[in-house]
Amino acid sequence: EMKWRDVAAWAVIVIHVLISPFTKVEESFNLQAIHDVLYHQSDLASYDHFEFPGVVPRTFLGPIVISVLSSPFVFLAQNAHFTKLASLYIVRIVLGTCIAYALSRMRRSIDKIFGSTVSGFFVILCCLQFHLFFYSSRPLPNTFALGLVLFGYSAWLNQDYVKFLMAFVPAAGIFRSELVLLAAPILLHGLFTRAISLPRMIGVGLLLSVASISTSMAIDSYFWNRMLWPEGEVFWFNTYQNKSHQWGVSPYHWYFTSALPRALTGAIPMIPVGIFLDPRTRPYLMCVMTFLGLYSLLPHKELRFIIYTIPIFNMISAVGFQRVFIHRKRNWKYSMTWYLSLMLLSLTLMTTVVATVISAYNYPGGYALRTLHTLEGNAASAHVHIDVLSAETGVSRFGEVRKDWKYSKEENVTDFSRYSHLLSEKKRMDGFEKVAEIEGFRGIMFRWPLIKLHPQIFLYKKKS
């Protein structure tokens, strides 16, 4: 049963898509894969990943699912003569809809266990925060895994550990192997409370592991043209070889002192209230904190790596908000606490508004290519070169809307004479005239308009 709160969550995800439709380099593989499955289908030679394979291979299972679900809407858009750019919006909204549905399943379980007021505050917190719903439509392995994790949380709340395994094992085996570190304390708690037996857990877990890895190997070996298990190679690269540190190193405490405060904002003060007033929340906190403690041992850290913990923290915080809400008229202390909690929600909303506006200016490459099509739409047989910064900040195959144009992302080019147009971060290009410049986010100012912008991508046209 869908409720207003589920629709509200979906609407916020869609708003994020509309405000920031383009994607960055870390989302590139999955987005290009979705495009290629939709538009090239069995013509593997035309797929982007053979030209730009990335550091480690990624699974095609997520892109295939989103492509299949999106294909009817893409077909309608094509017949309505929309460009491929419309398909970018479609696939991201479809992915966001999948996450919104999975979240609604968790919300229903919260409703069943803790009551409708708690589930209401849970959705309010999710909607007011920035990161959870910002990432919910972004084609990252973490996002594909998040959908399954939310189904797993629903089963965990209902103490159905077989269904929990049915969600978490594919999530870990196909998309993000570190989810084993989150599943382990949850399963140990299930064994301790005798909600599942050890033989049943091992039997179901092994069966699902074999099925998940076999499915991934069968499909991904076809698309990559060699025998492989993508997430196995990712695990080997990140953990055994420990090469992820090449993308930056953060201190052990970074998730606790930087990532979570930014992701949770006003939800944080109410977490201790929920823990203190409702003992049922304590095992949930213990499990996610164990995951965070273990995962913090890896030196390379990004907020999206722990996106799965946000719903649990929000659920516990929602219990705190609910207790303060129902007792707000009991005495002046509760009334004061309730007004403070409203201030926390307002603070969360304000930080999200600022972060959302900033995010809109973080994709100059995507806006540059769209602007080029608008300004040079009458040009026939254009040959466009896209530099590294443009490719990393929003350019994708969905943006290559002209069939009579050629688009090149060739790197280390020294002779640009064969190109008619350029997207470049360089402020001057010999033999070309500047036709536009696209601004991007540079920083925050303590005066209006608060956000500092500066030109990041320049559009060039070959001189006559």
Side-chain angles (χ1 to χ4, degrees):
E1 180 190 357
M2 296 290 287
K3 291 190 175 182
W4 66 265
R5 53 199 72 174
D6 302 323
V7 176
W10 175 81
V12 173
I13 292 173
V14 172
I15 288 169
H16 278 296
V17 176
L18 298 177
I19 292 174
S20 302
F22 300 109
T23 57
K24 281 200 171 180
V25 62
E26 56 267 23
E27 304 154 64
S28 176
F29 169 76
N30 283 308
L31 189 69
Q32 309 287 33
I34 292 169
H35 170 278
D36 293 343
V37 172
L38 280 169
Y39 288 97
H40 298 307
Q41 298 168 4
S42 61
D43 181 16
L44 294 185
S46 299
Y47 276 46
D48 182 82
H49 69 288
F50 288 120
E51 185 178 0
F52 300 99
V55 179
V56 287
R58 288 293 183 183
T59 180
F60 269 82
L61 283 169
I64 289 170
V65 170
I66 298 304
S67 300
V68 169
L69 294 175
S70 303
S71 57
F73 306 103
V74 172
F75 175 79
L76 291 173
Q78 286 176 321
N79 281 273
H81 303 293
F82 286 100
T83 68
K84 281 200 300 185
L85 201 55
S87 300
L88 173 62
Y89 287 84
I90 290 169
V91 299
R92 286 197 54 200
I93 289 173
V94 166
L95 174 57
T97 302
C98 293
I99 301 300
Y101 177 71
L103 189 83
S104 76
R105 293 293 296 268
M106 182 180 176
R107 191 272 308 159
R108 284 179 235 178
S109 297
I110 293 172
D111 200 304
K112 178 180 174 183
I113 305 301
F114 292 101
S116 60
T117 307
V118 173
S119 72
F121 276 112
F122 168 75
V123 174
I124 288 170
L125 287 170
C126 291
C127 288
L128 292 181
Q129 292 163 347
F130 173 73
H131 292 90
L132 180 63
F133 284 173
F134 174 77
Y135 280 116
S136 288
S137 65
R138 299 198 161 271
L140 293 157
N142 311 82
T143 306
F144 294 130
L146 176 63
L148 291 170
V149 167
L150 290 169
F151 280 109
Y153 284 161
S154 176
W156 183 24
L157 284 159
N158 293 324
Q159 294 294 291
D160 189 336
Y161 281 88
V162 172
K163 286 185 178 178
F164 170 83
L165 286 166
M166 290 172 66
F168 261 72
V169 173
I174 297 172
F175 297 113
R176 295 298 303 192
S177 56
E178 73 270 12
L179 284 170
V180 170
L181 300 178
L182 178 56
I186 295 173
L187 290 170
L188 285 173
H189 180 259
L191 289 171
F192 182 76
T193 57
R194 298 184 179 180
I196 187 172
S197 66
L198 182 60
R200 185 168 176 80
M201 183 187 79
I202 294 173
V204 173
L206 283 175
L207 183 65
L208 289 168
S209 297
V210 171
S212 300
I213 295 171
S214 299
T215 302
S216 176
M217 289 183 68
I219 291 175
D220 291 314
S221 296
Y222 167 76
F223 280 98
W224 282 95
N225 239 349
R226 65 182 177 91
M227 184 63 70
L228 83 166
W229 170 33
E231 193 53 29
E233 293 195 16
V234 173
F235 174 79
W236 185 263
F237 180 88
N238 287 336
T239 308
Y240 182 80
Q241 295 182 323
N242 197 23
K243 289 187 176 181
S244 63
H245 72 274
Q246 296 172 4
W247 281 263
V249 173
S250 300
Y252 178 85
H253 57 78
W254 187 82
Y255 285 134
F256 301 98
T257 58
S258 178
L260 285 174
R262 286 183 287 122
L264 298 174
T265 50
I268 293 175
M270 284 295 167
I271 292 173
V273 177
I275 293 296
F276 180 75
L277 294 177
D278 195 331
R280 294 176 298 172
T281 61
R282 293 167 193 172
Y284 300 102
L285 180 71
M286 177 191 69
C287 291
V288 295
M289 291 297 283
T290 302
F291 165 70
L292 288 167
L294 293 171
Y295 199 43
S296 293
L297 294 171
L298 280 178
H300 178 60
K301 298 176 177 65
E302 294 184 37
L303 190 150
R304 60 189 172 94
F305 294 167
I306 60 161
I307 197 81
Y308 332 103
T309 64
I310 296 175
I312 295 296
F313 283 121
N314 282 347
M315 179 186 76
I316 298 169
S317 181
V319 172
F321 275 101
Q322 180 251 10
R323 291 303 178 93
V324 172
F325 174 75
I326 61 176
H327 296 303
R328 68 192 185 281
K329 296 181 179 179
R330 176 178 290 184
N331 55 48
W332 70 270
K333 292 181 181 178
Y334 272 105
S335 297
M336 184 63 68
T337 308
W338 171 241
Y339 287 123
L340 288 173
S341 68
L342 289 177
M343 290 175 64
L344 289 173
L345 294 175
S346 301
L347 174 66
T348 305
L349 176 61
M350 286 189 291
T351 58
T352 296
V353 169
V354 173
T356 302
V357 173
I358 290 172
S359 72
Y361 291 101
N362 265 334
Y363 305 89
Y367 290 108
L369 188 57
R370 189 172 72 177
T371 302
L372 180 65
H373 288 124
T374 302
L375 296 177
E376 297 293 311
N378 294 326
S381 303
H383 194 180
V384 183
H385 182 265
I386 299 160
D387 76 345
V388 173
L389 182 62
S390 301
E392 290 180 345
T393 58
V395 171
S396 73
R397 287 190 167 191
F398 284 104
E400 299 173 1
V401 299
R402 292 288 294 268
K403 292 182 179 180
D404 57 334
W405 286 19
K406 290 182 180 179
Y407 303 88
S408 171
K409 292 186 287 184
E410 184 181 347
E411 298 180 21
N412 303 316
V413 177
T414 55
D415 180 12
F416 292 93
S417 60
R418 65 183 184 272
Y419 299 106
S420 61
H421 297 81
L422 309 177
L423 271 65
S424 176
E425 63 179 308
K426 295 182 179 178
K427 295 182 178 181
R428 182 175 177 274
M429 296 294 292
D430 293 336
F432 290 84
E433 60 178 318
K434 190 187 300 179
V435 294
E437 54 185 46
I438 306 300
E439 293 185 322
F441 175 72
R442 187 172 188 177
I444 295 177
M445 303 182 293
F446 293 100
R447 65 178 190 275
W448 189 256
L450 300 179
I451 295 172
K452 185 188 296 184
L453 304 175
H454 74 128
Q456 288 190 357
I457 306 293
F458 301 93
L459 309 186
Y460 293 98
K461 178 183 179 181
K462 182 177 282 188
K463 290 180 180 177
S464 302

